[in-house]
Amino acid sequence: MTEPSTVSDKQDDQRLAAIDLGSNSFHMVVAQLDQGEIRPIDLLSDKVQLAAGINEKRYLTDEAKQRGLECLSRFAQRVKDLPRDSVRVVGTNALREAKNSREFIEEAEAILETPLEIIAGREEARLIYLGVSHTLADDQGSRLVIDIGGGSTEFIIGERFEPRTMESLHMGCVSYTKRYFKDGIISASNFKRARTAARQELQSIVREYRNLGWNSAVGASGTIKAVRNICQDYGYSQDSITWEGLQQLRDLLLTFKHSDDIDINGIKTERKTVLTAGVAILCGIFEALNLEKLSFSEGALREGVLYDMAGRLKHEDVRDRSITALMQRYHVDQEQAERVEQTALLAWAQLKESWHLSSKHYDMLCWAARTHEIGLTIAHSQFHKHSAYLLSHSDLPGFTTREQQQLATLVRGHRRKFPKDEFKALPKRLQEPYRRLCVLLRLAVVLHRSRSSDRLPAITFSFDGKTLHMNFPEDWLSHHPLTEAGLEQEASYLESADMKLKFS
């Protein structure tokens, strides 16, 4: 969803860039969006191994942060000439897990001059499926997609471009290397422990996935690509990874005593470090899901991010569908939500220049208006807090963790005392714009408190640098005492939050 008046319907010949900050590797793809098709024109990657730099207390070490920031400095040079809204940066499991990830994020955003979005595991899975689906033939039937990352492994069953079920499990080639192959030591007992741990992790999804079933299985990303290449080079299997070929690779790896000793054609030093753990995880997956073979797709998370960006440009934003589904699930009064949304947007249109609001703020205001009453399903008392909780903790495909926090903050603040501390928890650059968006939402709710279908009069909103002014037609407020009382109460709430409101 984008403000109709600010985006051209023709999005041809546009460059996009997606940067994926994985737990093992950082990847960047720059692509040309031409007549609705995405054509990669540049690829960069670096084995940063961010997850390997998380210590026992779950803090990123200075060395790991430095490796990551140096890589991003190189990426930044490549995308510096692209419009900022054409670049999207996503972080995955390592940044989800690290307690001090906020520090890294702030430095990374300063280097890239672009927001860094930490995505939840299931959102990562959705984007992976999108990337894989767009790089495969559009076959009929369902497919299982598996992506072994550095800190997590994603499993998705879907058909064509639509995922049906998604999960992200806490096992990855870097985290399992640290846990089961410490100091690079390889042994049959360590391998067995890692494989068994993977099978145990899979127990939570095995029954559901087997019941759903799939017609084909596809793997993505570095570990599965490396395994596929080795199996082909050594004649263990042909186009796909087979169970027999995987066992042969396992036996080959167990002939080495240390990761430094691994002597396999085409495997880089960085991959040797995590290869054995990746193969152990893959063996556990084959056993738990009774796989016979697994093909490989070049598409992965970064390609999924590109296609998701392209969809938003074409007004096919999955976030709109997520909001609609949420409204239906919690039985929102859609007519009331629409009234609040339209009034908030009218105010936004009049104030966007003086308040420096953009089309991204427009989207958030729309979604907040549509969902501000979802908490009524739980209880009327403090329902704005219930609404915020649901927005923070629900799986919302298309939304990053930060976007859900921003949306929840807007909804949390839409009534009663203005929650100043909630807005201080947002990144500094977002605090003032979101305070202002919240004011627009609050005023729209006050104006529609009667839930009447009668149209509001023409209201003029203006800002003189200190005070927000609302001007109504003469005598209208005197004939609508409930609205007048509501605005008086609202002016009091806003004054306590250092904002001035005047109406006449």
Side-chain angles (χ1 to χ4, degrees):
M1 176 183 57
T2 313
E3 184 201 1
S5 61
T6 62
V7 175
S8 168
D9 291 332
K10 186 176 181 180
Q11 298 291 347
D12 297 339
D13 197 32
Q14 180 171 350
R15 284 183 298 161
L16 304 173
I19 299 176
D20 156 23
L21 310 187
S23 300
N24 187 38
S25 301
F26 285 9
H27 298 276
M28 181 176 70
V29 56
V30 180
Q32 195 82 20
L33 179 60
D34 188 6
Q35 302 294 330
E37 296 295 323
I38 288 178
R39 179 170 52 85
I41 56 178
D42 200 2
L43 299 169
L44 291 172
S45 66
D46 194 347
K47 292 239 176 349
V48 173
Q49 295 195 331
L50 207 60
I54 298 179
N55 62 25
E56 292 84 359
K57 295 182 179 180
R58 289 176 54 201
Y59 282 88
L60 274 174
T61 63
D62 290 339
E63 293 81 2
K65 287 193 289 185
Q66 189 61 32
R67 289 198 303 270
L69 296 174
E70 288 175 358
C71 172
L72 294 182
S73 294
R74 295 189 288 274
F75 286 4
Q77 182 180 347
R78 179 62 183 83
V79 299
K80 67 178 181 179
D81 293 331
L82 296 183
R84 293 301 87 188
D85 58 1
S86 294
V87 180
R88 189 175 176 198
V89 188
V90 298
T92 58
N93 189 73
L95 292 176
R96 290 195 292 264
E97 294 294 318
K99 292 181 178 180
N100 60 336
S101 61
R102 182 89 177 248
E103 300 170 10
F104 177 84
I105 290 168
E106 289 177 352
E107 292 186 64
E109 289 181 333
I111 291 171
L112 295 167
E113 299 180 355
T114 303
L116 196 169
E117 307 167 358
I118 305 302
I119 53 176
R122 288 188 177 178
E123 173 63 6
E124 182 180 353
R126 184 188 72 85
L127 292 169
I128 288 167
Y129 183 81
L130 192 60
V132 169
S133 298
H134 277 280
T135 55
L136 295 176
D138 189 12
D139 297 328
Q140 296 298 316
S142 63
R143 62 169 64 101
L144 167 68
V145 173
I146 301 167
D147 186 308
I148 300 174
S152 64
T153 298
E154 282 66 47
F155 298 84
I156 313 98
I157 294 177
E159 191 166 349
R160 301 190 69 188
F161 302 113
E162 292 296 329
R164 295 173 61 192
T165 189
M166 302 172 287
E167 194 54 80
S168 178
L169 300 183
H170 294 288
M171 57 184 187
C173 61
V174 176
S175 58
Y176 269 41
T177 295
K178 291 173 63 178
R179 191 181 307 170
Y180 300 107
F181 302 95
K182 195 172 182 180
D183 300 322
I185 297 172
I186 300 172
S187 69
S189 60
N190 287 348
F191 191 95
K192 183 178 180 180
R193 288 173 59 227
R195 185 189 65 201
T196 301
R199 290 199 62 174
Q200 291 174 335
E201 189 72 22
L202 279 153
Q203 285 180 351
S204 62
I205 69 167
V206 163
R207 178 176 295 181
E208 177 191 1
Y209 276 59
R210 284 182 179 175
N211 287 341
L212 280 174
W214 55 85
N215 299 103
S216 61
V218 185
S221 293
T223 290
I224 292 175
K225 182 178 182 179
V227 171
R228 191 277 308 264
N229 290 346
I230 296 169
C231 287
Q232 286 184 343
D233 290 346
Y234 281 74
Y236 297 158
S237 57
Q238 299 299 316
D239 294 334
S240 301
I241 302 169
T242 63
W243 176 230
E244 294 77 8
L246 190 58
Q247 289 177 302
Q248 288 178 286
L249 175 55
R250 174 204 62 193
D251 294 341
L252 173 63
L253 286 171
L254 292 179
T255 65
F256 305 106
K257 302 302 181 183
H258 194 280
S259 60
D260 292 342
D261 301 330
I262 294 175
D263 184 15
I264 295 177
N265 296 337
I267 298 300
K268 297 179 180 178
T269 302
E270 300 88 348
R271 178 59 61 184
K272 290 179 183 179
T273 306
V274 298
L275 179 62
T276 309
V279 171
I281 291 171
L282 193 54
C283 284
I285 293 170
F286 263 74
E287 290 177 318
L289 296 177
N290 290 330
L291 293 180
E292 295 181 0
K293 64 178 182 178
L294 182 72
S295 61
F296 174 72
S297 166
E298 292 288 351
L301 175 59
R302 55 195 176 276
E303 287 78 17
V305 171
L306 283 178
Y307 280 102
D308 197 54
M309 291 171 70
R312 295 179 186 185
L313 292 173
K314 294 187 292 183
H315 313 294
E316 297 170 356
D317 195 335
V318 69
R319 293 175 295 181
D320 284 332
R321 284 191 288 167
S322 296
I323 293 298
T324 299
L326 203 66
M327 294 172 69
Q328 293 172 346
R329 186 183 314 154
Y330 294 109
H331 312 291
V332 168
D333 181 341
Q334 297 199 26
E335 291 183 355
Q336 175 68 1
E338 184 176 351
R339 286 191 286 266
V340 171
E341 178 182 355
Q342 292 305 315
T343 297
L345 293 180
L346 285 171
W348 177 90
Q350 295 182 47
L351 294 167
K352 63 179 180 178
E353 292 184 5
S354 59
W355 273 8
H356 308 293
L357 301 176
S358 70
S359 59
K360 290 183 179 180
H361 301 132
Y362 174 101
D363 292 344
M364 278 292 179
L365 186 57
C366 289
W367 295 323
R370 295 177 194 179
T371 59
H372 73 281
E373 290 189 335
I374 59 175
L376 283 171
T377 300
I378 298 174
H380 185 275
S381 176
Q382 305 290 315
F383 77 84
H384 53 301
K385 295 181 181 179
H386 301 318
S387 297
Y389 180 87
L390 291 171
L391 287 166
S392 293
H393 298 284
S394 297
D395 283 324
L396 296 180
F399 284 90
T400 65
T401 304
R402 179 183 289 180
E403 286 175 333
Q404 287 189 228
Q405 179 197 16
Q406 293 163 6
L407 186 56
T409 301
L410 285 180
V411 169
R412 165 67 178 83
H414 88 264
R415 65 194 290 263
R416 302 288 179 86
K417 183 180 178 181
F418 197 92
K420 293 187 289 185
D421 291 341
E422 301 282 339
F423 287 87
K424 289 179 181 178
L426 297 177
K428 288 184 179 179
R429 61 183 175 79
L430 298 179
Q431 290 177 15
E432 191 58 28
Y434 274 77
R435 276 164 43 92
R436 290 173 170 179
L437 287 178
C438 191
V439 170
L440 301 186
L441 179 62
R442 292 173 69 96
L443 293 175
V445 169
V446 169
L447 292 170
H448 290 285
R449 184 175 181 180
S450 66
R451 308 182 84 87
S452 171
S453 59
D454 293 342
R455 296 186 64 178
L456 290 175
I459 306 171
T460 302
F461 295 85
S462 61
F463 182 66
D464 63 11
K466 294 182 179 179
T467 304
L468 173 62
H469 297 271
M470 296 176 65
N471 294 310
F472 292 82
E474 188 175 357
D475 295 332
W476 189 88
L477 283 174
S478 63
H479 291 95
H480 296 81
L482 178 65
T483 301
E484 186 172 28
L487 289 172
E488 288 172 353
Q489 178 67 73
E490 187 60 27
S492 176
Y493 283 138
L494 294 182
E495 185 176 6
S496 66
D498 303 319
M499 291 182 276
K500 294 182 178 180
L501 170 67
K502 291 187 176 180
F503 55 91
S504 58

